[in-house]
Amino acid sequence: MKFTLSWLKDHLETDASLDDIAKRLTMLGLEVESVSDRAAGLESFVVGEVTKAEKHPDADKLQVCTVNTGTATMQVVCGAPNARTGMKGVFAAVGAYVPGIDVTLKKAKIRGVESSGMLLSEREIGLSDEHDGIIDLPESAEVGASAVEALGLNDVVIEIAITPNRGDCLGVRGIARDLAASGMGHMKVMSTDPVPGAFKSPISVTTADESVCPQFVGRMVRGITNQQSPKWMRERLLAIGLRPISALVDITNYVTFDLGRPLHVFDADKVKGNINVRLATNGEKFLALDGNEYELDDEICVIADDNGPEALGGVMGGEASGCSEGTTSVFIESAIFDPIRTAATGRKLNIISDARFRFERSVDQAFAAPGIEIATRLVLEICGGEPSEITTAGAEPKWQRDIKFRPDRVKQLVGVKVGRDEMVRILSVLGFGVSGDGDEWTVSIPSWRADIVAEPCIVEEIIRVYGYDRIPAVSLPRDGALPKPALTQEQALRSSIRRTLAARGMVEAVTYSFMPSTDADLFGVVVDAVRLVNPISSDLDVMRPSILPNLLAAIGRNDARGFADGKLFEVGPQFSGDGSDDQELAASGVRSGAAAPRNWQEAARKVDAFDAKADAMAVIAAFGIDVKKAQITDAAPSWYHPGRSGAIQLGPQNVLAHFGEIHPGVLKKMNIKGPVAGFEVHLGALPKPKAKKSQQRPMLRLSALQPVERDFAFVVDGATPAADVQRAAASADKKLIVEARVFDLFEGKSVGEGKKSLAVEITLQPVQKTLTDEEIDAVGKKVVAAVAKATGGVLRS
Amino acid sequence: MGNSDKLKSDLLAMVEATTTLAAVEEVRVSALGKKGALTDAMKGLGKLAPDERKAAGQELNAVKDAVTQAIDVKKTSLSMAEMSARLMEEKIDVTLPTRPEEKGCIHPISQTIDEVVAIFGEMGFSVAEGPEIEDDCYNFTALNIHEDHPARQEHDTFYLPGQGEKGRKVLRTHTSPVQVHTMMSEKPPLRVIAPGRTYRCDYDATHSPMFHQVEGLVIDKSANMAHLKGVLTDFCRAYFGVDDLPLQFRPSYFPFTEPSAEVDIGCTREGGEFKIGHGDDWLEILGCGMVNEKVLENCGIDPSEYQGFAFGVGIERIAMLKYGIPDLRTFYESDLRWLRHYGFSALNVPSMTGGLSR
């Protein structure tokens, strides 16, 4: 919402400085977005008259102008095509700074002719981008007078942001009222006395019902001349960014911004029959003032005559009955439209207008009738003519209501004590009625404040005007001297998962929760429920079923920039449906290219499934789970390499994680070089950490006896999982064997076709006494027997 | 000079003359070995008369001690020299690089959330969470934003095709629905923060379709706007590390709070350099207010008994301000150079006692 300082002062009697007004507006909740003093820097420019313009002797496109500046006569060389004898323009003397071209003028010779000063274009004074010619001031401009004055720029423009609840401040008078309440001056009286009608309006109005248009006030003015509106009005409209059109249209715009009262004017001669405010019929067509034709439906309010819809109620007028320079009879509309219906119409037809903006935020419910009197006065003043009597349909809506207000609530809710007299003063200036005393008052709400619906609204009004800066800052008292943990154990473990992966050399990424469906489709079945109805782009059209595609795409982008070998992870949500149980938290990561950069000691190694497996196991361990208790299987989803991937499970049903090399076919479709190894840990599947009764660790029993290691090599079938051999060996003697570890794998002719040799190191921990050779041999035999039984493996000879 | 003296000087000379450990060993064998000169001489003692034998024996023992000692000394000095020589041969070029180790890092969004949690945790808040695909009701209606509310148009909501029990499925536009769930499921007093992902259908230099918020909620019998000012002042000062950071509370409007406020922090742009702290300028960083009575009622809390406040802060916004990150969109691009530049060490865990940021 824009307005000018002088405009504000039409309504507010004040001595306050611009700076104080701007600061107070912001502190009232009317946030100042800009204050532009358009005259700043232009003070030295004056109105100059070109008394003679002659062609430059040595240049086709230049003219030599003699300029009367009121105090002197100057010779100026000018390149503007519109410079001509008798015109009045904006003159800048030698020594003046011209902001639009960032130049301080000096006396100069242009193609041998002396030039002292300059006639300026709009761009040169920083008013607009217009540079086709110099400013052509009206004949009436006084030679030697300040150019700022002549251009109507001596009025500061203030722009404020209006929150959706403050429809009453979409007119300058409402803003003045807030300022007055906060002690920045006094409201000026505004006349809304009825203008007597000279005849009965030949156009009468009917309305369908209250939900469409509760009140419609109309009046005809005949015998008018619709010329240009006066300079003061044009200047104000221009200052707030509105293009002056004609007196009638300008008046409606002016009253809209001055009083927050939208109006519409019909060319009365183009209205056929009487006016009926009704709902449109489905498929009815309407040509609006913006030049577009709209197809209407039966929820849209139209103002219609015998020709059909002439305006969209509260939104926009129509082309057919619009006013033009030839209009001699005008029918003025001042009506009240339903906010919800107006908003819905605007949304449906995608029309944004100053009227819609006000009606959907609710206008002053008691101002339709006074509004038309003010409009009539302006029409009579500017266009002349003879007014009819008022014609009205419907009635002023019943807006009167009271709210019980306990003055103590201010202190309770806001923490600051405001004096009762001050509360009454603030409410009264804002237009509220206050009655009763003691601990419960009755506050009546003014017709322009539909946003005030409950007691806290009144508290807000008081404290907003009293000043938020007068509320003290009081630290929140805590329950107990020391804080309790802010995170649940699970939340804290999640944080340590991130830090575990980062400590393992991986870089954390945060990627969008949505992704292209073309990528998502490579990662399982994407249900329709997670396809966005209104995606920001087709590249981000489904909720991600997995984090991996986003990380893979990032690997591809980094590679394209010359940074291969990315190691990225993300801990975040993924979606299998739109229910709250369908959102799963996953810790996923990818490693691409070389496991580590090549170096002079070791050859570079490509990443493989075991890198991803180690990451996944580290995540699971970081969640406090003993990974040794988990089983590794070779079952993994389709986006992994079918022979180089697996799952980490607790029991046959509970899959904690998948890991492996990403399927080369998937990489190819996503245009990624690879190899890439990835993992996905399903954090929801991890057993929840149990609340411990005690933090005590089990008793530590240290053996004084040295552990003993023995190595075995087994030849097994090539398809036998190493884990089976390891598990069989480890469980051969549960008392003595504390660890069994596969430390070598050999495949070759010497062990037989389709066979492999796995070497296992067994660690024995004697408990009571040092083991004898016979005892160790006995355990060895058990190991061999156990492995043979479990896998058919035989000791390698 | 007797025989023993000669033997001594001969043997010592032989020891002295050696230059390798092997030669020393040879000398030892030739002197002290089974067939060594000294051993021979010892054997000859038996032939002597008993009175001579004693004196000669003593002499030979002295010779043996002297030679043994000389051999030990020689051995030590030679082995030291040998080790020195060997070590010199083992010399490496220590300017060669070490085996590569990769350094990972934590994303600034995670780090900032950890910082925020550390501060609010100290003030007695706990962390609440909720789904990101919400029913319309929890995202809007329960928060006093009905279907036709003008504020609803400003939310640029992403819609999903489904219909939940409580209205159309939407991507949450703020983390406020977490507050709704908390109020519906827990009894006051409440003191929670809800950090998390939020979504709005908007994309330009200062808007991302996904971003992060942390919202806070305090409900009890006496929490008022002065406390709200206190909490946010304490938070901003701790987070930005400016003890006397000025804050300005301005009246504003949100459907779910009343009275509502927007909060600015002091800053200066003198000399083209942006700095947070005392200055001539203000920068808006968050919105807040007293929880609207209707919202309390919608969530089953009796407004005649309880009251409280709520606030919401953009995580990326405060991270950008604190760490000088110029562009919002870069947070989600996963550019390794960006992540390493703006990321944090895994071991840099923010806490109020150990320091928020190092």
Side-chain angles (χ1 to χ4, degrees), chain B residues 242 245 265-270 272-281 283 321:
Chain B
V242 180
L245 179 66
I265 53 171
C267 65
T268 156
R269 292 182 172 89
E270 250 169 64
E273 196 196 349
F274 175 79
K275 247 173 90 182
I276 288 168
H278 276 278
D280 50 359
D281 212 348
L283 186 79
L321 288 173

Side-chain angles (χ1 to χ4, degrees), chain B residues 222-269:
Chain B
S222 62
N224 62 38
M225 218 160 159
H227 295 122
L228 170 60
K229 263 185 126 169
V231 163
L232 292 175
T233 303
D234 291 340
F235 166 73
C236 289
R237 289 180 175 176
Y239 176 76
F240 290 108
V242 180
D243 288 344
D244 58 351
L245 179 66
L247 272 76
Q248 169 174 279
F249 286 68
R250 285 180 285 105
S252 187
Y253 170 78
F254 306 107
F256 31 88
T257 52
E258 185 160 51
S260 303
E262 275 179 342
V263 182
D264 304 329
I265 53 171
C267 65
T268 156
R269 292 182 172 89

Side-chain angles (χ1 to χ4, degrees), chain A residues 62-291:
Chain A
L62 295 179
Q63 296 189 75
V64 181
C65 301
T66 308
V67 181
N68 173 13
T69 70
T71 51
T73 303
M74 297 291 185
Q75 177 172 289
V76 174
V77 177
C78 181
N82 65 335
R84 63 183 190 280
T85 304
M87 84 177 289
K88 286 175 179 169
V90 176
F91 175 74
V94 167
Y97 174 75
V98 181
I101 49 173
D102 190 21
V103 159
T104 302
L105 296 181
K106 287 189 208 131
K107 203 175 226 175
K109 260 193 180 167
I110 299 171
R111 298 252 179 138
V113 177
E114 211 157 82
S115 182
S116 306
M118 193 171 173
L119 288 162
L120 304 175
S121 70
E122 289 196 359
R123 190 171 78 189
E124 282 153 351
I125 65 168
L127 196 61
S128 74
D129 287 335
E130 180 64 45
H131 194 53
D132 289 341
I134 53 175
I135 296 169
D136 200 345
L137 290 170
E139 191 66 24
S140 59
E142 193 187 325
V143 173
S146 151
V148 162
E149 195 91 19
L151 287 163
L153 297 178
N154 52 349
D155 202 0
V156 175
V157 179
I158 302 169
E159 181 168 16
I160 58 177
I162 305 283
T163 53
N165 58 325
R166 294 304 303 277
D168 65 307
C169 284
L170 292 171
V172 179
R173 191 165 179 85
I175 297 164
R177 190 186 297 117
D178 260 29
L179 284 168
S182 76
M184 295 296 277
H186 302 280
M187 291 297 283
K188 289 184 183 171
V189 178
M190 176 176 69
S191 168
T192 56
D193 294 344
V195 177
F199 59 98
K200 193 173 183 302
S201 170
I203 299 172
S204 70
V205 182
T206 50
T207 59
D209 73 77
E210 265 184 35
S211 79
V212 178
C213 171
Q215 187 186 18
F216 188 114
V217 183
R219 160 179 270 162
M220 186 192 275
V221 184
R222 66 187 178 198
I224 58 155
T225 322
N226 187 21
Q227 317 156 315
Q228 197 182 42
S229 55
K231 181 165 176 278
W232 64 268
M233 186 179 275
R234 277 184 286 127
E235 280 176 3
R236 280 185 179 173
L237 292 176
L238 278 170
I240 64 168
L242 290 178
R243 193 166 52 91
I245 293 166
S246 67
L248 289 173
V249 176
D250 292 356
I251 287 167
T252 65
N253 284 334
Y254 187 80
V255 175
T256 300
F257 281 85
D258 188 41
L259 304 169
R261 162 55 14 208
L263 300 168
H264 184 59
V265 284
F266 298 90
D267 186 327
D269 294 333
K270 296 179 188 162
V271 174
K272 190 177 176 194
N274 290 319
I275 281 176
N276 179 25
V277 187
R278 59 164 168 88
L279 292 176
T281 53
N282 283 323
E284 206 168 0
K285 299 272 198 315
F286 171 68
L287 181 62
L289 272 173
D290 62 6

Side-chain angles (χ1 to χ4, degrees), chain A residues 567-591:
Chain A
K567 276 89 191 153
L568 290 172
F569 78 94
E570 179 171 357
V571 180
Q574 57 191 38
F575 304 85
S576 58
D578 63 7
S580 54
D581 293 340
D582 299 329
Q583 178 181 325
E584 182 209 26
L585 201 63
S588 304
V590 290
R591 291 176 183 260

Side-chain angles (χ1 to χ4, degrees), chain B residues 58 92 100 105 115 130 137 156 158 171 183 225 230 239 250 262 266 277 296 301 305-306 325:
Chain B
Q58 279 173 349
I92 58 167
C105 53
E115 288 180 46
C137 169
D156 300 311
F158 280 114
L171 294 187
M183 285 189 275
M225 218 160 159
Y239 176 76
R250 285 180 285 105
E262 275 179 342
L296 292 176
I301 292 178
E305 194 178 350
Y306 292 104
I325 303 172

Side-chain angles (χ1 to χ4, degrees), chain A residues 329-398:
Chain A
S329 241
V330 64
F331 186 78
I332 310 170
E333 163 209 319
S334 176
I336 292 182
F337 297 100
D338 180 59
I340 292 173
R341 191 181 297 282
T342 310
T345 300
R347 269 205 307 277
K348 206 179 288 176
L349 304 180
N350 199 18
I351 302 177
I352 295 166
S353 70
D354 292 325
R356 171 193 165 187
F357 200 73
R358 283 160 181 76
F359 280 116
E360 67 186 13
R361 281 160 180 75
S362 191
V363 297
D364 186 340
Q365 300 292 291
F367 205 71
I372 207 158
E373 303 299 348
I374 286 167
T376 308
R377 248 188 218 100
L378 283 168
V379 170
L380 295 176
E381 220 170 82
I382 296 166
C383 310
E386 186 185 31
S388 78
E389 287 164 7
I390 295 287
T391 171
T392 302
E396 187 175 293
K398 194 176 156 20

